[in-house]
């Protein structure tokens, strides 16, 4: 089986000469199980064996605003005088972000299709990646960034899907669907002269760093090693691998001191001492769905999971901040009090917004985000034998819970939320973010 398509698309948000792009793809599929030599060899065990391959070039404009290519001005007032202010630096060279997608797949059935499986390999090569490129503040560019096609990256991995018809009886059925995916992401190029892209969250802190050869949007933080038992001070590790203690109540010139007592140390900063702590992109993810019916009753249970990724829990920094704010109860229960105390929360000092990570990210607030979620749980009952005079075929009563429960060791509100939404450069940041809502639904469905 052969299939192909071509499309030409235009986007008015791009400048003249850049707004059109031609995209398309082709696929081929071989129904191996229809070949006699396959039927003779393994036809008694396997069924519906298909080999598939495809290539496509697709476009993406989700990272580009409607007017990103334009230089814009906004109106305002200065006192009582009307004014125009420079509000956006455009980019007339901005063009389509494109992806070259390659897929290889195998599908087959076992035991007369009681078990159906699909295995795929994918490689997605993304070119002309559209990102907000940081600019020097001295340029006077609004927001200190310009949208540009700054590089490329790829996503690759495997996808496995299994569907099992566990029980198929007139009055009882049970079907299970399991899927498992892997993801490897790598940035392969940035714009000439750009060695890294930093991601800033809500103008508060630099939380992410993108470099060639690493996943996009890696979590960035200064390494810490708990609290010094003798002094109650946070232990930081500088760029040279030496341990440094922070004394907030000291004068600015002597706040940073080497732990070994060798004297005053250079101040710890994100720019000079932070390092990549891990990727916020899951290495493995998928789901497990179970559907059961017994006579007129039905039950559906849907689970999702993601494994092998890190999150920056900036909420912990705020809850432990020693400015005139409320603290979490763990500060009261576990903060350092006297020499010899072993704890992860340093000595509380009024107005100290550094020791617990509010000033810049520290590794103390980096956590694994692995989770399993009860995404959906529903139960229903269907009335089928209804008087013909009503012209009603069936009535179904149901109750449903969305986001019912999460199994995770992550201490934040929800390992699946992100303060910055789907931002490419700043994923995996939880800075006082509300969790996804747990939704309860009850309903009545009538079919005529």
């Amino acid at each position: 089986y052969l299939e192909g398509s071509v499309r030409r698309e235009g986007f008015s948000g791009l400048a003249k000469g850049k707004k059109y792009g031609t995209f398309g793809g082709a696929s081929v599929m071989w129904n191996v199980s229809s070949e006699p030599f396959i039927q003779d060899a393994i036809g008694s065990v396997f069924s519906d064996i298909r080999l598939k391959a495809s290539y496509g070039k697709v476009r993406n404009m989700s990272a580009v605003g409607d007017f990103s290519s334009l230089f814009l001005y906004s109106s305002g007032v200065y006192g009582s005088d009307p004014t125009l202010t420079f509000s956006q630096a455009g980019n007339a060279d901005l063009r389509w972000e494109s992806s070259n997608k390659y897929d290889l797949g195998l599908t087959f059935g076992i035991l007369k299709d009681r078990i159906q499986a699909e295995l795929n390999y994918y490689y997605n090569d993304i070119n002309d990646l559209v990102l907000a490129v940081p600019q020097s503040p001295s340029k006077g560019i609004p927001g200190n960034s310009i949208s540009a096609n700054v590089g490329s990256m790829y996503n690759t991995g495997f996808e496995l899907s299994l569907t099992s018809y566990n029980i198929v009886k007139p009055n009882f059925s049970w079907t299970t669907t399991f899927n498992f995916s892997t993801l490897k992401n790598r940035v392969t190029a940035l714009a000439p002269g750009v060695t890294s892209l930093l991601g800033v969250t809500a103008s508060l802190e630099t939380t992410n760093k993108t470099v060639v050869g690493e996943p996009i949007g890696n979590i960035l933080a200064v390494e810490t090693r708990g609290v010094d038992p003798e002094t109650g001070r946070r232990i930081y590790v500088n760029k040279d691998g030496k341990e440094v203690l922070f004394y907030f109540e000291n004068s600015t010139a002597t706040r940073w001191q080497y732990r070994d007592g060798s004297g005053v140390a250079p101040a710890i900063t994100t720019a000079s001492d932070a390092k990549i702590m891990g990727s916020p992109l899951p290495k493995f993810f998928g789901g497990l769905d179970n559907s059961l019916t017994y006579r007129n009753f039905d039950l559906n249970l849907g689970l999702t999971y993601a494994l092998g990724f890190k999150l920056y829990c900036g909420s912990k920094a705020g809850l432990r901040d020693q400015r005139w704010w409320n603290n979490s109860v763990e500060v009261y229960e576990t903060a350092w009090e006297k020499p010899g105390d072993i704890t992860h929360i340093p000595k509380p000092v009024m107005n100290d917004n550094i020791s617990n990570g509010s000033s810049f990210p520290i590794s103390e607030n980096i956590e694994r985000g692995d989770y399993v979620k009860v995404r959906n749980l529903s139960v229903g009952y269907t009335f089928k034998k209804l008087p013909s005079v009503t012209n009603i075929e069936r009535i179904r009563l149901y109750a449903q819970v969305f986001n019912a429960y999460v199994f995770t060791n992550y201490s934040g509100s929800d390992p699946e939320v992100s303060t910055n939404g789907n931002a490419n450069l700043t994923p995996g940041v939880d800075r006082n973010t509300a969790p996804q809502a747990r939704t309860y639904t009850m309903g009545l469905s009538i079919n005529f």
Side-chain angles (χ1 to χ4, degrees):
Y1 299 82
L2 297 174
E3 187 175 300
S5 64
V6 176
R7 31 184 313 136
R8 183 165 175 81
E9 301 183 66
F11 177 53
S12 59
L14 298 177
K16 185 177 181 180
K18 305 288 184 181
K19 63 176 60 178
Y20 291 100
T22 302
F23 308 94
S27 63
V28 59
M29 189 269 287
W30 178 24
N31 190 345
V32 181
S33 56
S34 64
E35 304 293 346
F37 69 94
I38 293 294
Q39 287 286 350
D40 295 340
I42 56 176
S44 60
V45 178
F46 292 90
S47 58
D48 197 26
I49 305 172
R50 299 172 183 240
L51 291 173
K52 302 178 292 182
S54 66
Y55 164 78
K57 184 176 183 180
V58 299
R59 87 295 181 272
N60 175 34
M61 293 305 298
S62 62
V64 180
D66 292 339
F67 309 103
S68 294
S69 64
L70 302 179
F71 288 78
L72 301 180
Y73 293 81
S74 298
S75 62
V77 292
Y78 181 75
S80 60
D81 297 326
T83 63
L84 285 177
T85 58
F86 184 30
S87 60
Q88 176 180 289
N91 181 1
D93 293 326
L94 201 63
R95 57 189 181 275
W96 290 86
E97 180 179 297
S98 63
S99 300
N100 293 299
K101 305 185 71 172
Y102 304 84
D103 293 275
L104 294 173
L106 169 66
T107 63
F108 58 90
I110 304 176
L111 304 176
K112 297 182 179 180
D113 283 344
R114 286 287 297 274
I115 298 176
Q116 298 177 1
E118 181 172 356
L119 178 64
N120 291 295
Y121 166 79
Y122 68 91
Y123 182 88
N124 187 7
D125 186 18
I126 304 169
N127 300 295
D128 296 328
L129 195 63
V130 178
L131 295 171
V133 180
Q135 304 292 313
S136 170
S138 62
K139 291 183 178 181
I141 294 174
N144 297 323
S145 66
I146 297 178
S147 293
N149 302 92
V150 295
S152 58
M153 68 178 183
Y154 69 83
N155 295 317
T156 187
F158 292 90
E159 297 174 330
L160 172 65
S161 177
L162 294 172
T163 299
S164 173
Y165 298 92
N166 306 315
I167 299 175
V168 182
K169 299 291 184 180
N171 293 324
F172 181 57
S173 66
W174 173 24
T175 302
T176 300
T177 300
F178 171 75
N179 59 77
F180 173 82
S181 299
T182 69
L183 171 63
K184 179 181 179 181
N185 171 271
R186 288 293 182 272
V187 175
T188 53
L190 294 175
V194 177
T195 57
S196 65
L197 295 173
L198 299 178
V200 179
T201 295
S203 301
L204 290 174
E205 54 212 335
T206 302
T207 54
N208 305 77
K209 185 176 184 178
T210 297
V211 297
V212 174
E214 294 283 344
I216 192 170
N218 272 327
I219 302 293
L220 185 69
V222 175
E223 181 185 353
T224 59
R225 295 176 180 172
V227 174
D228 179 40
E230 298 305 314
T231 63
R233 312 298 175 173
R234 173 77 66 195
I235 304 170
Y236 296 82
V237 180
N238 66 13
K239 61 183 178 181
D240 299 320
K242 295 184 178 180
E243 294 184 344
V244 178
L245 302 181
F246 176 70
Y247 296 79
F248 182 79
E249 63 270 34
N250 287 12
S251 68
T252 303
T254 60
R255 282 182 175 178
W256 300 95
Q257 299 179 24
Y258 288 111
R259 189 186 183 192
D260 61 10
S262 58
V264 177
I268 299 289
T269 66
T270 302
S272 62
D273 301 289
K275 60 180 68 174
I276 290 175
M277 293 293 168
S279 173
L281 305 179
K283 294 180 180 178
F284 314 102
F285 57 93
L288 176 67
D289 294 314
N290 280 280
S291 298
L292 296 93
T293 62
Y294 175 70
R295 296 186 182 276
N296 292 352
F297 289 95
D298 61 84
L299 173 69
N300 291 277
L301 174 64
L303 308 177
T304 59
Y305 63 89
L307 308 169
F309 67 105
K310 297 290 185 68
L311 294 175
Y312 168 55
C313 186
S315 302
K316 286 201 300 188
L319 291 170
R320 299 172 180 177
D321 196 310
Q322 292 304 302
R323 288 175 287 183
W324 195 250
W325 298 352
N326 289 330
N327 280 170
S328 61
V329 69
E330 66 174 340
V331 175
Y332 171 74
E333 294 175 341
T334 62
W336 187 93
E337 295 181 358
K338 61 185 183 302
D341 284 351
I342 305 298
T343 180
H344 61 287
I345 297 180
K347 175 184 177 181
V349 179
M350 186 63 184
N351 290 324
D352 180 4
N353 71 325
I354 294 177
S355 295
N356 287 305
S358 281
S359 182
F360 54 81
I362 60 177
S363 62
E364 166 71 22
N365 299 330
I366 309 299
E367 301 184 28
R368 292 184 66 89
D370 299 359
Y371 68 85
V372 176
K373 276 193 173 186
V374 182
R375 175 70 65 190
N376 183 71
L377 176 62
S378 67
V379 61
Y381 184 86
T382 302
F383 298 89
K384 298 179 180 179
K385 296 181 179 180
L386 300 169
S388 59
V389 69
T390 63
N391 290 324
I392 297 176
E393 181 180 346
R394 61 171 63 101
I395 298 176
R396 180 174 179 263
L397 291 171
Y398 64 90
Q400 179 176 300
V401 182
F402 175 78
N403 200 32
Y405 195 77
V406 56
F407 300 90
T408 182
N409 290 324
Y410 177 63
S411 66
S413 62
D414 188 335
E416 208 174 12
V417 300
S418 175
T419 297
N420 304 305
N422 293 323
N424 285 319
L425 292 181
T426 52
V429 176
D430 179 6
R431 188 63 151 140
N432 306 325
T433 312
Q436 295 186 76
R438 178 177 296 127
T439 306
Y440 299 88
T441 304
M442 297 183 69
L444 176 67
S445 175
I446 303 176
N447 288 22
F448 292 92

